[in-house]
Structures are given as structure tokens and as C-alpha cells.
Amino acid sequence: MDLMHRALLTALGAMSVFYALVKISLGYWKRRGILHEKPKFLWGNIKGVVSGKRHAQDALQDIYTAYKGRAPFVGFYACLKPFILALDLKLVHQIIFTDAGHFTSRGLYSNPSGEPLSHNLLQLDGHKWRSLHAKSAEVFTPANTQKLLVRLSQISSRIQRDLGEKSHQTLNISELVGAYNTEVMASMAFGLVGQDTEEFAKWTRNYWADFRLWQAYLALEFPLIARLLQYKSYAEPATAYFQKVALSQLQEHRRRDRQPLQTFLQLYSNAEKPLTDVEIAAQSFGFVLAGLGPLNATLAFCLYELARQPEVQDRTRLEINKTLELHGGQVTPECLRELSFNDLTFFLETLRLHTPHPFLLRRATKEFEVPGSVFVIAKGNNVLIPTAAIHRDPGIYENPERFYPERFEEEARRSRPAAAFLPFGDGLRGCIAARFAEQQLLVGLVALLRQHRYAPSAETSIPVEYDNRRLLLMPKSDIKLSVERVD
Ligand code: HEM
């Protein structure tokens, strides 16, 4: 047999094995006899998502709409990976709350020995996550969150400065809120102030520089091989920078006694059973990873929606200024409590309509029989809870495309099941910093709204489009609005 012939046979053999493997992968739900969306070769049910032609949320929304009401869940494939899409609120409640012990994993890739900053709360599973979560729960208490308010208010004054004194102008709102949230992260998660935050801001934009979706996909599918090959999720110069800064700030903190409490670094390092310094650095990085995108998106979308609802905006400004006056113009914990979400229902409505994390991920750590049915979620199955699709379900929220803050007035809110509104997830693996994030967003909104009015300008894209290259729901291009100073 000549060389050419042999090469041809080998290629044919390899292609047949590959074809058979794809067919076996895409036959998982059929073999299990579970209702599922018919997959396309290689792409499964997310064709167009990997190439950026459509957003992952659109693919999930289509499956949710097609199968809702037919079964508690439906099977689908993200490329070759089988997933369960939860359809029924009762099942979502069981997964998130009542039977959360069966679903403590998220199934993301992490490699703490090769990439120490991946040892963070968001990425870890199993006993490592459990022990980290217990220690982090001591940090994110309501009392500690309240203590960080003083520093947060100081940072929010930059918003007034950035808004400037001009009476009328068109501003890039995404940049404005991004600068505030980045400074909060630099300060709270890394203890940085002033000049240092500029370099920090640069790295927060660059740590995904080497990201390749197909590599990340392979790492998720074959984590053992990825670890052996030392696959890195983030650009190495960026993680080196974040680690160096966190370690030097921790040393600085220990050198200087009796500083006012201003950072998560201090809280972690003062804990009774502290983490190692590198583990603390990994948490700080994890907060940038988990928090910065949704914070930026939420604040920008809040202003975008308020700009289109001048009455709600004016009412909110009045309420903010009335409450501030009662508290000597200071954003105190009492002031925030009084403002609460009853006056700021638009904030919850923004999180409903533009849910930053459009889905929650869980991996079954034990077999789960769906109560009252014949359905079984097998150990190791990946489960996806389509929060954005639930938030836009006309059976739960009437006329869901409409921005209508009244649906979050107390009585209306109480009439809906807890699983109908999950912008921060919930239960064991819910957002550990949800209360802190709300505080940060409220302080930002007070600074943004107290003296300025927002309206759409010629540069505002309406309706807003989402960026297909991101898994989060983020605006495709920066949100720009006309801003007017009001006294
Ligand atoms: C608008 C702002 C934010 C939103 C909408 C948000 C939303 C979420 C969601 C949906 C999850 C997954 C929850 C689940 O699977 O049930 C999550 C997890 C997490 N978030 Fe947030 N988040 C925000 C801000 C933040 C901030 C500011 C931080 C850090 C300071 C943070 C830290 C985390 C961490 C560490 C996790 C993983 C928790 C775990 O697995 O134990 N988040 N967040």
C-alpha cells in the first residue's frame, strides 16, 4: 500500500470515529427517552451562538417558549454537551431552594494549581467551594456590608465630578458608570486608590484577551486533559497583575494597624480562620469576574429605561432628594433603607427586563427524582435555569416586553412565587454579594439622579441591542444619553 493510500485510509478512519462520537454525544437524550429539541450536527441547539450571529439567550428563549408547559424540563445540546433546561417554576424552586443539596455544583472549569486565581467562589465546586463559601459568608454579612458604605459614598462623589457642571450635554453613560464600578472594585476588592486604579481599569478590560470559545468549551468537556495541558482561562499578564496587587495590598494592610474598615481584603484577612494570601487574591479576582459586568450593565440599563420614562425619573429624583434632606444630605444606612425598593421599583424592573445573567447553572451532584413525575435528573447532568426567559414569560409577567415598574410594588411582588424573579440567583449558590451589589447600585443611582435628568439623544440606540459575543446580557454598543443638570 503506498503512502498516499495509507494516509487516505487513516483520514477516513479518523473521520468515521469522529462522526460516531458526535452521533453518540447527540443521542444522549434519545437514549434516555427524555423530551428534547432535535440537535443539529456539531452545533446541537445553539447554531449561530458560537459564531456570534445570535445571543445565547435567544437560543434558550426559543427552546423555553417551544416546550414550556409540556414537561418539567426539556433536554437540549450546547454543541455536543447535553443540558437540561428547567421549564417549570416548581422544579426551579426545588433545584434552587428545597433540594439545593442535590445541585451544589456549577460545573465550570478551574485549575487552582496551574492558575491560582481560578480558586474562586464562582468557579469552584465540591468540598473546596463548600469551605470557601463558609468563610466568605462571614465576610458578606449585613453588618460588614453596611460598614463599607462610607467608602462607597466617597467613591460615588466621582460620579458628580464626571457629570461635570455643564448644563446640557450628551454623555457616554456606559463609560461613566463603568468608571464608578471599576473604582469601587479596585478599592473594595484590591485596596487600591487614586492613580493606581487606572492600571487596574486597563487590566479589567484585558483579562479575556486570549479567550477562545472552542478552547474554553474543550476545557469544560475534558477538564482533566485541560489541567494536564495547563490550559489557562485568563490572560497570564492580567492574572499576574491582579495577584501581585492583592498580595502587596495584604502586606500593606498588615503593616498598618487600625485602618478604617474599607475592603474585602481586610475582612478576609481579619477572619478567624483566614484563607491563604493567594486564596484571598483569587477571591478578589473572582469578584471582578462575577461582579463588574453585571454592575455596569444594570446601572447603564437603569438610566436608559429611566430616560424613556421621564415621569418615573422625576418622581424618583424627588423621592431621593426628599429622603437625602432628612439625613443631612448624606447617604446613610437609614437613608438607603428609607429609599428602599418601594421608591425604586424601576431598579427591580430593570433587572427583570435586562437580567444580566440570563441563566443559572447547576450540576446534579446526586440523582434527583422530580417529585410527582416519572422524570429523573441523573447525577452529573448539567442543568440550566433560564432566568431571563422566566422573567419574560407572559404567563408570569403580563405584557413582558413593557417596562412597567409597578409590577414590583409590594403586593404584586408577594403574589408571585420566589422562583419567578432570580436576577441574583438564590439558595446555596446564589450571589454571595447580592446585598453589597444592591447597595453599590443604589449609592450610584442616588449620585446619578439627584441633580441630573436623562433623556434619549440622537446617539441613543433604541431599542437597545445585546452583545452576542457575551454570555451576559450587555449592551452591544455604549449607551449614550442626553444629560441635563437640574437644581
Ligand atoms: C448587578 C450586580 C450583580 C448581579 C446581577 C449578580 C448576579 C449573580 C448571579 C446570577 C450569580 C449566580 C447565582 C446562582 O447560580 O444562583 C452570581 C454569583 C456570584 N456573584 Fe454576583 N452578581 C452581581 C454582583 C456581584 C458582585 C459586586 C460581586 C462581588 C463583590 C459578586 C460576586 C459573586 C460571586 C462570588 C458569585 C458566586 C457565588 C457562589 O458560587 O458561591 N456578584 N452573581
Side-chain angles (χ1 to χ4, degrees):
M1 210 185 315
D2 64 16
L3 202 64
M4 177 88 164
H5 202 168
R6 224 185 277 169
L8 210 68
L9 275 182
T10 314
L12 255 173
M15 272 163 65
S16 314
V17 171
F18 176 70
Y19 183 80
L21 284 177
V22 171
K23 281 302 217 189
I24 290 172
S25 298
L26 293 180
Y28 178 78
W29 293 123
K30 199 169 179 191
R31 288 196 298 279
R32 293 240 347 242
I34 299 250
L35 177 73
H36 62 281
E37 173 85 344
K38 199 166 171 230
K40 297 232 166 26
F41 189 73
L42 277 184
W43 301 118
N45 306 108
I46 58 162
K47 193 156 187 251
V49 173
V50 178
S51 61
K53 283 203 187 106
R54 63 177 184 152
H55 199 284
Q57 159 56 13
D58 294 333
L60 296 178
Q61 182 73 56
D62 287 352
I63 304 175
Y64 180 84
T65 310
Y67 290 90
K68 173 91 203 292
R70 288 173 61 185
F73 64 82
V74 63
F76 77 100
Y77 299 88
C79 294
L80 304 182
K81 205 173 175 65
F83 272 92
I84 280 171
L85 189 80
L87 298 168
D88 179 20
L89 281 194
K90 239 200 266 163
L91 176 63
V92 174
H93 196 272
Q94 282 150 356
I95 294 170
I96 295 282
F97 300 109
T98 40
D99 297 285
H102 289 66
F103 301 94
T104 51
S105 288
R106 194 170 275 131
L108 298 179
Y109 174 77
S110 79
N111 179 20
S113 63
E115 194 174 37
L117 296 198
S118 68
H119 184 99
N120 63 61
L121 211 49
L122 184 75
Q123 287 178 260
L124 288 182
D125 282 334
H127 68 274
K128 285 185 184 155
W129 167 78
R130 215 174 270 280
S131 121
L132 198 52
H133 185 263
K135 290 176 182 168
S136 302
E138 286 174 33
V139 166
F140 286 93
T141 61
N144 283 343
T145 301
Q146 192 167 311
K147 282 182 201 154
L148 298 175
L149 180 59
V150 177
R151 179 78 189 116
L152 210 49
S153 297
Q154 286 166 358
I155 298 174
S156 75
S157 65
R158 79 162 291 154
I159 293 183
Q160 297 291 331
R161 196 186 68 220
D162 291 353
L163 280 167
E165 291 298 317
K166 273 198 217 157
S167 62
H168 210 134
Q169 57 190 325
T170 293
L171 276 184
N172 185 325
I173 298 299
S174 300
E175 271 179 15
L176 181 81
V177 299
Y180 161 66
N181 288 325
T182 306
E183 190 165 337
V184 174
M185 272 295 167
S187 168
M188 306 269 161
F190 287 86
L192 293 173
V193 281
Q195 290 288 314
D196 293 341
T197 52
E198 277 170 34
E199 195 181 357
F200 178 84
K202 186 187 95 188
W203 288 112
T204 58
R205 290 189 293 269
N206 288 344
Y207 65 87
W208 288 118
D210 300 336
F211 183 78
R212 302 282 174 277
L213 193 64
W214 64 270
Q215 286 179 344
Y217 176 74
L218 288 179
L220 265 184
E221 260 313 79
F222 309 105
L224 289 178
I225 300 177
R227 278 181 206 119
L228 264 176
L229 297 175
Q230 292 294 321
Y231 167 72
K232 307 260 189 309
S233 305
Y234 315 107
E236 274 189 281
T239 46
Y241 164 81
F242 286 121
Q243 183 162 325
K244 188 184 86 192
V245 170
L247 295 185
S248 76
Q249 290 296 325
L250 275 166
Q251 278 173 11
E252 183 68 18
H253 159 63
R254 292 193 187 109
R255 232 170 23 82
R256 285 203 250 136
D257 242 3
R258 295 173 186 280
Q259 308 168 77
L261 186 79
Q262 293 189 328
T263 68
F264 302 135
L265 281 180
Q266 286 167 284
L267 287 166
Y268 269 107
S269 99
N270 294 350
E272 259 177 49
K273 288 186 201 151
L275 303 170
T276 66
D277 282 6
V278 174
E279 284 170 345
I280 298 179
Q283 304 327 301
S284 297
F285 175 67
F287 298 153
V288 171
L289 194 67
L292 202 50
L295 287 166
N296 287 342
T298 306
L299 268 189
F301 282 133
C302 270
L303 289 191
Y304 167 83
E305 292 296 349
L306 284 182
R308 301 174 67 211
Q309 304 261 335
E311 273 174 31
V312 180
Q313 189 188 149
D314 288 344
R315 208 169 53 225
T316 308
R317 181 173 307 100
L318 200 71
E319 210 52 57
I320 286 177
N321 283 320
K322 246 173 36 191
T323 315
L324 274 174
E325 210 169 292
L326 292 175
H327 295 276
Q330 300 299 314
V331 184
T332 58
E334 295 71 35
C335 168
L336 281 191
R337 212 168 302 131
E338 276 168 40
L339 271 174
S340 80
F341 294 120
N342 264 343
D343 302 316
L344 304 172
T345 45
F346 74 87
F347 170 82
L348 300 179
E349 177 66 342
T350 304
L351 283 169
R352 178 194 72 80
L353 195 57
H354 303 288
T355 312
H357 285 263
F359 54 84
L360 309 176
L361 282 175
R362 295 290 185 273
R363 177 173 285 172
T365 42
K366 303 176 210 167
E367 184 175 283
F368 180 67
E369 286 177 27
V370 180
S373 82
V374 293
F375 295 99
V376 171
I377 297 179
K379 185 177 170 186
N381 277 168
N382 293 297
V383 181
L384 205 145
I385 296 163
T387 33
I390 293 173
H391 294 170
R392 291 172 192 197
D393 185 333
I396 305 171
Y397 297 96
E398 205 184 315
N399 205 352
E401 295 306 321
R402 182 174 166 213
F403 184 81
Y404 184 60
E406 284 79 352
R407 48 175 126 237
F408 282 96
E409 280 172 3
E410 197 158 348
E411 209 174 310
R413 211 177 339 164
R414 278 175 197 274
S415 70
R416 287 188 292 266
F421 186 58
L422 294 169
F424 292 98
D426 214 324
L428 285 177
R429 295 232 53 169
C431 179
I432 193 137
R435 298 294 87 76
F436 174 79
E438 281 173 0
Q439 177 173 278
Q440 176 169 343
L441 293 166
L442 283 189
V443 170
L445 281 169
V446 168
L448 285 159
L449 287 168
R450 62 197 291 186
Q451 285 176 321
H452 291 83
R453 181 178 289 131
Y454 302 82
S457 80
E459 294 179 57
T460 314
S461 315
I462 300 177
V464 75
E465 271 185 76
Y466 298 120
D467 186 348
N468 292 347
R469 293 160 308 159
R470 306 285 302 263
L471 282 177
L472 297 186
L473 287 182
M474 309 276 287
K476 184 175 173 187
S477 49
D478 286 357
I479 291 182
K480 294 181 184 158
L481 294 173
S482 150
V483 185
E484 181 192 357
R485 195 179 157 89
V486 286
D487 290 313

